């Protein structure tokens, strides 16, 4: 005779503390997972304030799931319950793991101001929250100072007291300020600089600028030159007094009122070319490929950069611009670069004989301004992989789907100075209110030669169509009376 015993779960076991704790935490974890997904959607749609809540929610979710796993195992082992609670906890952990790393590239930079005057920091080309963009009136007051003491530094113009909505015309902090950069953008060569209204030119002239490099998996997979062969090159012209101090034609040397003397209203040119702060330097190179991240940090000088002697079989191979990698490499004999513009180029120094000195020259300059720096090809020879034919996939925006077309006319007027569509700059007054998630066509028109870039987001140039235009370009160069369309 065979006796079969069927054992039902104990009512006491079903009501044991591990079971009750597991059921409660399962519900809490499910709600936190839904919240995590919602916050991720908010962040990816451009609401960067959701990132901090996403991090707190993720930390709480991990804690709840760990305790839930302990409760599931305890109930399973002590009450002889089924194994599904353990499997449920593991599945929830996997889901949470996919949602938690959203902010892993998030960078917080603290800038401390020990100068005698206010500063503002702008990450040029960064996709940032508005309160970390470096709004011209979001001042960092010198350490030990007060907002009232430096009230005259805010805007320096007749419209400083007006405010028509939008971003507040001045959120000052004393001593230091934290800037949050989510880094949810393509790999690119960015740079940061002072952005105080009316004082950016002199601040950058005196050295308040630097590189900020963004990397991603797409770029890493290309096996581009890296390490010592990935070289940021900040080119800037400067003038020096007899005692070695920087010379700049300020109206107010105390920097309370902005502006330069009348002869320099169209920009200040220097007679010494600096690269990363050094005059006409020389870089020793191996016979190998180098990535040169070229940045024009000059006040007004444009450059036409070329190699002398040219590289046999190819010169400056451009792989990226202001907005990141190009779709494919482009070979140039020379590169025209305007102030604030960046070019990522690859130079193959293995094409030169050992002992060759290669000069980077400026074909638009004369005298000292015609020479930028030099490379001495003296090191070992490296057999580097060739550049891939395709660098990046860039989805072109469709002008036919534009929600609006806007005309933006830049002028220099004797009554108001610099204007857009006839209106002078007024802090807090928006000239347009694009809707998040839409595409617009902006027609840029200028009465003068000047580079233009848009904060917070890049754009694509559609007309006139320069080589490699199917790429994100946060900066455009406008020639007098020339229209440029972007979206």
């Amino acid at each position: 005779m065979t006796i079969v015993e069927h054992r039902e779960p104990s009512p006491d076991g079903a009501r044991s503390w591990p079971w009750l704790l597991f059921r409660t935490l399962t519900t809490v974890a499910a709600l936190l997972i839904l919240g995590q997904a919602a916050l991720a959607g908010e962040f990816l749609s451009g609401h960067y304030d959701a990132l901090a809540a996403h991090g707190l929610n993720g930390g709480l979710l991990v804690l709840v799931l760990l305790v839930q796993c302990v409760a599931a195992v305890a109930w399973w082992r002590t009450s002889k319950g089924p194994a599904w609670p353990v499997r449920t906890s593991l599945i929830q952990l996997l889901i949470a793991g996919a949602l938690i790393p959203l902010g892993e590239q998030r960078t917080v930079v603290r800038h401390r101001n020990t100068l005698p005057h206010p500063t503002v920091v702008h990450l040029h080309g960064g996709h940032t929250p508005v309160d970390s963009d470096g709004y011209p009136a979001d001042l960092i007051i010198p350490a030990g100072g007060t907002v009232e003491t430096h009230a005259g530094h805010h805007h320096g113009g007749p419209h400083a007291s007006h405010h028509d909505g939008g971003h507040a015309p001045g959120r000052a902090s004393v001593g230091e300020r934290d800037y949050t950069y989510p880094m949810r953008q393509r790999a690119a060569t960015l740079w940061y600089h002072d952005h105080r209204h009316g004082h950016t030119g002199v601040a950058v002239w005196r050295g308040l600028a630097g590189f900020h490099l963004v990397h991603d998996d797409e770029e890493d997979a290309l096996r581009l030159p890296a390490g010592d062969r990935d070289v940021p090159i900040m080119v800037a012209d400067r003038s020096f007094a007899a005692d070695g101090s920087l010379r700049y034609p300020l109206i107010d040397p105390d920097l309370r009122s902005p502006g330069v003397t009348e002869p320099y209203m169209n920009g200040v040119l220097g007679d010494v070319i600096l690269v990363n702060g050094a005059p006409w330097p020389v870089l020793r190179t191996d016979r190998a490929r180098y990535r040169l991240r070229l940045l024009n940090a000059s006040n007004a000088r444009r450059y036409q950069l070329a190699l002398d002697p040219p590289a046999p079989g190819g010169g400056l191979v451009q792989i990226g611009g202001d907005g990141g990698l190009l779709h494919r490499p482009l070979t140039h004999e020379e590169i025209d670069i305007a102030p604030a513009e960046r070019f990522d180029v690859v130079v193959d120094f293995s094409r030169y004989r050992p002992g060759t000195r290669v000069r980077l020259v400026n074909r638009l300059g004369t005298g000292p301004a015609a020479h930028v720096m030099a490379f001495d090809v003296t090191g070992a020879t490296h057999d580097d992989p060739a550049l891939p034919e395709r660098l990046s996939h860039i989805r072109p925006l469709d002008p036919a789907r534009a929600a609006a077309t806007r005309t933006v006319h830049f002028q220099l007027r004797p009554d108001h100075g610099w204007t857009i569509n006839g209106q002078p700059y007024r802090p807090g007054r928006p000239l347009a209110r694009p809707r998040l998630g839409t595409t617009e066509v902006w027609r840029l028109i200028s009465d003068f030669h000047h580079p233009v870039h848009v904060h917070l987001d890049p754009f694509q140039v559609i007309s006139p169509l320069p080589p490699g235009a199917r790429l994100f370009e946060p900066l455009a160069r406008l020639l007098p009376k020339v229209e440029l369309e972007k979206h």
Side-chain angles (χ1 to χ4, degrees), residues 318-332:
Q318 184 187 0
I319 61 171
D322 293 344
L325 293 171
L326 304 184
H327 177 67
R328 57 182 177 82
L330 295 173
T331 300
H332 303 277

Side-chain angles (χ1 to χ4, degrees), residues 28-47:
V28 173
L31 293 174
L32 289 173
I33 288 175
L34 291 175
Q36 195 76 345
L39 290 169
E42 287 287 300
F43 173 79
L44 294 174
S45 66
H47 296 89

Side-chain angles (χ1 to χ4, degrees), residues 100-132:
I100 287 172
L102 180 63
E104 64 183 4
Q105 297 186 64
R106 175 176 176 262
T107 301
V108 178
V109 180
R110 175 168 296 170
H111 288 273
R112 182 168 177 80
N113 183 13
T114 59
L115 297 170
H117 52 76
T119 61
V120 177
V121 181
H122 168 56
L123 181 60
H124 195 117
H127 186 55
T128 64
V130 65
D131 57 1
S132 291

Side-chain angles (χ1 to χ4, degrees), residues 3-263:
I3 299 176
V4 178
E5 180 179 0
H6 178 72
R7 184 172 181 176
E8 295 287 342
S10 164
D12 293 337
R15 291 192 297 270
S16 64
W17 71 263
W19 167 250
L20 295 175
L21 182 60
F22 167 77
R23 291 294 299 269
T24 301
L25 293 179
T26 300
T27 302
V28 173
L31 293 174
L32 289 173
I33 288 175
L34 291 175
Q36 195 76 345
L39 290 169
E42 287 287 300
F43 173 79
L44 294 174
S45 66
H47 296 89
Y48 292 116
D49 291 342
L51 185 61
H54 183 274
L56 292 174
N57 192 86
L60 182 59
L61 176 57
V62 170
L63 179 62
V64 168
L65 288 175
L66 290 176
V67 178
Q68 177 186 315
C69 286
V70 172
V73 172
W75 179 63
W76 173 56
R77 297 193 63 179
T78 60
S79 303
K80 302 282 193 279
W84 66 263
V86 179
R87 291 195 294 268
T88 299
S89 300
L90 293 176
I91 291 172
Q92 286 182 315
L93 271 173
L94 290 174
I95 295 174
L99 294 173
I100 287 172
L102 180 63
E104 64 183 4
Q105 297 186 64
R106 175 176 176 262
T107 301
V108 178
V109 180
R110 175 168 296 170
H111 288 273
R112 182 168 177 80
N113 183 13
T114 59
L115 297 170
H117 52 76
T119 61
V120 177
V121 181
H122 168 56
L123 181 60
H124 195 117
H127 186 55
T128 64
V130 65
D131 57 1
S132 291
D133 179 55
Y135 192 78
D138 283 352
L139 303 178
I140 308 175
I141 304 300
T146 64
V147 175
E148 291 75 17
T149 303
H150 294 84
H153 288 271
H154 274 78
H155 308 302
H159 305 286
S161 62
H162 297 277
H163 175 48
D164 297 329
H167 185 78
R171 298 176 180 175
S173 57
V174 177
E176 62 186 29
R177 187 185 188 98
D178 288 350
Y179 292 81
T180 300
Y181 304 132
M183 295 293 102
R184 303 292 297 184
Q185 61 184 97
R186 306 172 70 232
T189 300
L190 311 183
W191 69 301
Y192 63 92
H193 57 78
D194 184 85
H195 199 244
R196 177 181 161 210
H197 180 52
H199 297 273
T200 298
V202 63
V204 175
W205 186 276
R206 292 179 173 179
L208 295 187
F211 281 95
H212 187 116
L213 308 183
V214 181
H215 303 274
D216 63 15
D217 292 340
E218 179 185 48
E219 180 191 70
D220 292 342
L222 298 176
R223 300 177 65 191
L224 299 173
D228 292 340
R229 288 191 270 149
D230 183 354
V231 185
I233 295 178
M234 180 187 293
V235 181
D237 61 336
R238 298 290 185 262
S239 292
F240 295 87
D243 62 358
S245 61
L246 287 165
R247 186 172 58 190
Y248 194 82
L250 288 169
I251 290 178
D252 177 10
D254 294 329
L255 295 180
R256 296 192 65 85
S257 299
V260 295
T261 55
E262 185 65 29

